[in-house]
Amino acid sequence: MNQRTKPSANPPERSRSAGAVTARTGVGDRFSSWTNHHREMWRESWARFFASPMSSGMTALVIAIALALPAALQLGLTNFQKAVAGWDGQPQISVFLHKRARENAVQSFADDLRGDPLVAGVTYISPEQALAEFQQSSGLGDALLGMDSNPLPAVLLVRPRGSDTTSLEALATRLRDSAMTDSVVLDMAWVQRLAQLTELGQRMSMGLALLLALGVLLVVVNSIRLHIENRRDEILVVKLVGATDAFVRRPFLYTGLVYGLVGGLIAWLLVSGGVWLLAGPISGLANLYGSGFRLDGPGFTYLVGLAGGAALLGLTGAWLAVARHISAIQPR
């Protein structure tokens, strides 16, 4: 009599375990293949770039010039603000005190102002000093000598710590509300002009950067379109054997990335060269005015910003090109 044997539980468990290992191996293989293809396309993009140095270099140079213009303007604004910050012509508040104010009260008021965090310095001008300065500057010394009393009040010249318009107005209002003051004059016309000039320069820089960024996108789109047309037959062949659109567009995306990266590096070199040419004359001019101003060049932050921004623009332009043209190439 044949005995019926029980099926063992071990073979199914081994089968499930083998299936899980196979699945994990399959995912690992796909990921390895994906990373290897990206690495290969990165190397191939550099090889194609240097294979035609004339056309590739011209494209990268156009990108570099388009990026160097707004970068140079922005760097110039930064140096201008630095130069103005070190200028002696700071905003000033003239505080005219009451004629009846006592000397000790005036000194106490001036000491309180010196302890204010918004005040960088306070200069006290007595009525006698004010009269002497007025006689010297006006040329009416003989006429003023015949006056019975000094009509000029004591003055406090308050030098604020910053040049922010809102802070200056708040400080001037607080001084007007003091019982010691008769009138307060805030000399900030130059501050307002400087703020308007700086804002105008920043807006011009931003507008120029947007326009030239659009130009960079168009240059990259046109270059990648030419690459696609030159490799149309190759694209048809790989699509016939089952390649996806993502696989086909990957080398062109890396090509746009390389164009942008090289263009950003060249732009940084152009701006650095311009700063090197201007640094000497500007330092000499600053020395003639007794200033220690030195022109700041584009440092590592500018290098990273230009290279990264240019690479992103190149990648975006390549994506726009392949999104339109790759899908239109289909085998029949």
Side-chain angles (χ1 to χ4, degrees):
M1 182 176 176
N2 294 332
Q3 292 183 351
R4 181 177 297 172
T5 58
K6 284 186 176 182
S8 174
N10 291 333
E13 290 179 359
R14 287 197 300 269
S15 176
R16 285 194 297 269
S17 177
V21 171
T22 303
R24 287 196 298 268
T25 304
V27 173
D29 288 343
R30 287 195 295 270
F31 179 75
S32 178
S33 176
W34 182 78
T35 55
N36 288 335
H37 188 249
H38 275 274
R39 194 179 301 113
E40 181 184 353
M41 292 301 100
W42 173 250
R43 291 195 297 262
E44 182 182 332
S45 297
W46 284 105
R48 289 182 181 274
F49 183 88
F50 290 109
S52 53
M54 183 61 68
S55 60
S56 300
M58 292 295 291
T59 301
L61 185 59
V62 170
I63 295 173
I65 294 174
L67 293 174
L69 291 175
L73 181 56
Q74 183 62 39
L75 185 63
L77 286 173
T78 303
N79 279 280
F80 174 72
Q81 291 173 343
K82 174 190 169 185
V84 171
W87 181 42
D88 292 334
Q90 297 294 324
Q92 182 175 273
I93 302 176
S94 300
V95 182
F96 297 93
L97 304 175
H98 284 294
K99 292 277 294 179
R100 298 185 300 273
R102 297 181 180 179
E103 185 73 18
N104 57 351
V106 171
Q107 292 296 337
S108 177
F109 181 59
D111 291 338
D112 291 340
L113 284 178
R114 292 186 181 97
D116 194 309
L118 296 178
V119 176
V122 177
T123 303
Y124 171 67
I125 300 178
S126 65
E128 292 75 18
Q129 291 174 331
L131 180 61
E133 291 180 6
F134 181 73
Q135 288 175 339
Q136 184 178 3
S137 61
S138 64
L140 302 175
D142 294 337
L144 293 174
L145 290 176
M147 299 181 63
D148 296 333
S149 61
N150 185 358
L152 300 180
V155 181
L156 292 179
L157 300 180
V158 179
R159 185 163 53 88
R161 192 171 298 277
S163 58
D164 180 65
T165 304
T166 304
S167 301
L168 291 175
E169 290 286 359
L171 179 59
T173 301
R174 186 149 51 85
L175 290 172
R176 290 189 185 99
D177 294 338
S178 175
M180 295 288 297
T181 61
D182 185 23
S183 63
V184 175
V185 177
L186 173 59
D187 181 16
M188 58 177 301
W190 77 270
V191 178
Q192 294 173 340
R193 296 189 188 101
L194 176 62
Q196 292 297 324
L197 285 173
T198 303
E199 183 179 358
L200 176 62
Q202 289 175 346
R203 293 194 178 187
M204 289 177 60
S205 177
M206 184 62 67
L208 183 63
L210 290 176
L211 287 176
L212 294 177
L214 179 60
V216 169
L217 287 177
L218 294 177
V219 168
V220 174
V221 167
N222 186 62
S223 299
I224 298 301
R225 182 185 63 83
L226 293 177
H227 280 282
I228 293 173
E229 292 298 325
N230 291 335
R231 300 174 64 181
R232 173 181 285 269
D233 294 337
E234 180 183 344
I235 294 172
L236 288 173
V237 171
V238 295
K239 281 195 170 186
L240 278 172
V241 298
T244 62
D245 285 346
F247 182 89
V248 173
R249 66 172 170 253
R250 196 166 295 152
F252 300 105
L253 295 180
Y254 274 107
T255 300
L257 183 67
V258 168
Y259 277 140
L261 184 60
V262 175
L265 294 175
I266 297 176
W268 184 82
L269 291 175
L270 291 176
V271 176
S272 299
V275 171
W276 179 76
L277 288 174
L278 296 176
I282 289 179
S283 297
L285 183 63
N287 291 332
L288 292 177
Y289 283 94
S291 172
F293 173 74
R294 293 295 181 271
L295 192 64
D296 286 341
F300 181 74
T301 303
Y302 267 80
L303 174 60
V304 173
L306 279 175
L312 183 60
L313 285 174
L315 183 61
T316 304
W319 185 276
L320 293 175
V322 297
R324 178 180 177 183
H325 297 287
I326 292 293
S327 59
I329 302 176
Q330 297 293 338
R332 297 179 181 179

